[in-house]
Amino acid sequence: MAVSARSAYYGAAIGVDGEYISVIDSRRVSLKDRAKFAFGELVTGPLFVAALSLFMVLSRWMGIDYKASVKSATYVMAKRTIDILVASAGLILALPLFVLIPILIKLDSNGSIFYTQERVGLNRRRRDRRDYSAGMKRERRLQDRRQDNLMGRPFRVIKFRTMVSNAEAKTGAVWATKNDSRVTRVGRFLRKTRIDEIPQLINVLRGEMAMVGPRPERPVFVKDLATKVPEYSTRLDVKPGITGRAQVDNGYDTSVESVMAKVRSDVDYIRTWNVWSDIKILMKTVVVVITGKGAC
């Protein structure tokens, strides 16, 4: 479509009716704006390209798989986002239970409402980090190491109390069993419905656990199982979860044999993780809660 010929400033837009829509006069651009543009084009851009190239070269020289690093970072961000959203929604929906359950626990037995226990979480130490820290001073290296190697970072898991107070005072740490005499009447219901696990949503928001992952185990069992079960330490490469593929398929740990089966499932989950796998496991968990499958 032809338009009427008339003079215009550089950058002007003219409509079909011959009137100006807008006028951008290049002569009005300030010296400060020109300097910013030049800095971005001539300094910031080349520096970014140079830094990225240097990172790729150094990564190859140091034996670091930068592609795996990017994939790992994406994994952490996606999984953490899911954890925060689901845990926050879960706590809001569970607010009535935080009023009712404490009353039932107190009426059923003496003792605290919540039960905390030390568990082993994500192993943040990596073998390559120790290799690169070989040149550190001995005093600093000794301070950086854990005094007691638990193979992962310890934390205290939070649950509604389901057993009598001081349940392990005489027996010590033992495997969970069916019809355990130490479990209270209310506790048996909480375990069957998995309601006792709800306070662990707080552990998720604190970053100690994930919604989906391997079951967090006690230090005494971790040390023992790591010597008996192949690839057991691989479970500690990710955060432990409130639920997981092994939990929904096999229930609670009752023996070394059951742990071996669950470790195989956990390792397969870790190596093939994707967002949809977590969603599927969360949906299976709902079925487990409704049916009581695998409860002790």
Side-chain angles (χ1 to χ4, degrees):
M1 180 181 292
V3 296
S4 59
R6 61 181 299 180
S7 61
Y9 289 115
Y10 171 77
I14 306 176
V16 294
D17 57 355
E19 295 187 2
Y20 287 98
I21 297 175
S22 63
V23 177
I24 304 175
D25 191 348
S26 61
R27 293 173 298 181
R28 297 180 182 178
V29 178
S30 66
L31 181 62
K32 182 179 179 181
D33 291 334
R34 292 175 183 271
K36 286 182 178 179
F37 177 80
F39 183 80
E41 289 291 317
L42 302 177
V43 180
T44 306
L47 279 179
F48 173 77
V49 174
L52 181 61
S53 301
L54 181 62
F55 169 74
M56 295 172 66
V57 171
L58 290 178
S59 297
R60 185 176 296 275
W61 177 67
M62 297 172 66
I64 300 174
D65 187 351
Y66 64 87
K67 293 182 179 179
S69 299
V70 172
K71 183 178 180 181
S72 177
T74 303
Y75 162 87
V76 172
M77 292 176 61
K79 193 169 180 65
R80 184 58 181 157
T81 300
I82 294 174
D83 289 343
I84 293 175
L85 293 176
V86 176
S88 300
L91 282 174
I92 293 173
L93 295 174
L95 283 177
L97 293 177
F98 279 92
V99 176
L100 176 62
I101 299 302
I103 296 175
L104 296 178
I105 292 175
K106 280 294 186 181
L107 291 175
D108 186 47
S109 62
N110 295 324
S112 61
I113 296 171
F114 297 101
Y115 173 72
T116 64
Q117 190 178 71
E118 188 177 46
R119 298 292 176 93
V120 179
L122 175 66
N123 180 17
R124 297 183 183 275
R125 303 293 296 274
R126 293 292 183 269
R127 193 170 301 169
D128 56 347
R129 284 179 55 190
R130 294 192 176 188
D131 293 340
Y132 289 117
S133 65
M136 297 168 59
K137 292 183 179 180
R138 178 175 176 79
E139 294 78 7
R140 183 178 174 185
R141 291 175 65 188
L142 290 175
Q143 291 175 0
D144 185 53
R145 289 174 175 161
R146 299 188 187 101
Q147 297 299 316
D148 187 13
N149 183 18
L150 301 177
M151 302 179 65
R153 175 173 292 185
F155 70 98
R156 299 201 71 83
V157 70
I158 309 170
K159 292 186 177 185
F160 283 122
R161 181 174 60 84
T162 59
M163 291 187 175
V164 296
S165 296
N166 300 319
E168 294 185 342
K170 296 181 179 179
T171 62
V174 295
W175 293 104
T177 59
K178 290 185 177 295
N179 301 319
D180 194 326
S181 60
R182 300 171 301 169
V183 179
T184 63
R185 289 172 298 178
V186 171
R188 193 167 290 108
F189 169 77
L190 296 180
R191 286 192 168 202
K192 187 174 182 62
T193 57
R194 307 297 175 105
I195 292 177
D196 63 315
E197 310 277 358
I198 289 178
Q200 292 179 61
L201 294 173
I202 298 173
N203 291 115
V204 174
L205 291 180
R206 290 166 59 174
E208 298 164 334
M209 294 181 64
M211 288 301 304
V212 180
R215 177 180 171 82
E217 196 51 84
R218 302 169 66 175
V220 62
F221 290 142
V222 169
K223 290 182 178 180
D224 180 53
L225 294 171
T227 62
K228 298 178 179 179
V229 181
E231 294 190 292
Y232 186 84
S233 59
T234 303
R235 301 169 76 254
L236 302 176
D237 289 344
V238 298
K239 288 182 182 179
I242 294 180
T243 185
R245 183 183 298 175
Q247 289 96 301
V248 297
D249 292 341
N250 301 293
Y252 289 102
D253 297 338
T254 57
S255 64
V256 174
E257 288 72 22
S258 67
V259 172
M260 293 179 68
K262 294 178 71 173
V263 167
R264 289 192 293 269
S265 182
D266 285 332
V267 172
D268 181 63
Y269 162 78
I270 293 170
R271 292 174 177 170
T272 61
W273 179 89
N274 57 65
V275 173
W276 289 111
S277 66
D278 274 10
I279 294 176
K280 289 178 182 178
I281 291 171
L282 288 172
M283 293 175 66
K284 282 186 178 181
T285 302
V286 174
V287 176
V288 170
V289 171
I290 295 175
T291 61
K293 177 185 175 182
C296 287

